[in-house]
Amino acid sequence: TLNANSNNSAIRFIKNHGEEVDIFMLQEVKVSPASGGGECPVEAFRDKLLRNGFKSVVAPGRVTEKMGGQGGRYRVEGYLNVTGPQVVHPHRAVSVELHTHGAGDIHLVCVYGDVLGTWAAQAAMWKAVSKAAARSGKPFVWGGDWNAPVPE
């Protein structure tokens, strides 16, 4: 899991460590859908990742008053056998099905919890994540930045 705080620092980290890691779970890379003409930042980020050898599932960030796409969180896959990429909860959670030779299929979810960090603020997201895991019928791994205190 990496809180990159920009898509450029995420790409730099992936370039430096991509040979050591098969799966990156990224948050706060701050890419949002295009609001005017020109290239869509989400697609440009996906293209950069692909040029660096990584498939990706990207949940576009939500534009905020302070930092552009601050609310977004993203998940990046190495060239593994993955299918079924989906945005599980807008701006907050994405998933894929990872197919392995020895362990079978695994449902992977990357979560970026609401910065308010309370169960009430995150309840809808966790409900969507739980339902996606149940629908898959596979063992699952949830990772990312949950923005939650230990008791929660």
Side-chain angles (χ1 to χ4, degrees):
T1 295
L2 173 67
N3 271 29
N5 287 313
S6 80
N7 62 41
N8 289 331
S9 63
I11 295 295
R12 186 172 43 254
F13 188 86
I14 288 168
K15 283 181 178 179
N16 292 334
H17 300 283
E19 291 185 19
E20 306 162 14
V21 179
D22 291 323
I23 298 171
F24 288 96
M25 293 186 180
L26 306 173
Q27 295 81 40
E28 293 193 41
V29 294
K30 299 180 183 165
V31 293
S32 300
S35 59
E39 184 176 31
C40 176
V42 175
E43 294 302 322
F45 184 62
R46 283 186 188 135
D47 291 345
K48 285 180 187 177
L49 293 169
L50 193 55
R51 283 193 302 273
N52 283 282
F54 286 86
K55 298 177 185 176
S56 66
V57 181
V58 179
R62 179 185 54 205
V63 177
T64 62
E65 293 176 14
K66 289 183 182 179
M67 302 288 283
Q70 175 94 9
R73 49 123 331 301
Y74 312 90
R75 178 174 173 12
V76 182
E77 293 289 320
Y79 274 119
L80 301 172
N81 186 7
V82 294
T83 60
Q86 64 177 324
V87 175
V88 175
H89 190 77
H91 318 295
R92 296 287 169 194
V94 295
S95 71
V96 295
E97 302 294 329
L98 172 65
H99 309 287
T100 69
H101 294 291
D105 296 343
I106 302 169
H107 182 78
L108 298 175
V109 180
C110 183
V111 172
Y112 179 44
D114 192 293
V115 75
L116 295 176
T118 64
W119 179 252
Q122 298 184 21
M125 178 195 64
W126 288 114
K127 185 175 182 179
V129 168
S130 298
K131 284 184 173 186
R135 271 191 311 272
S136 80
K138 297 172 176 56
F140 59 88
V141 175
W142 295 346
D145 180 354
W146 296 13
N147 279 321
V150 174
E152 290 186 348

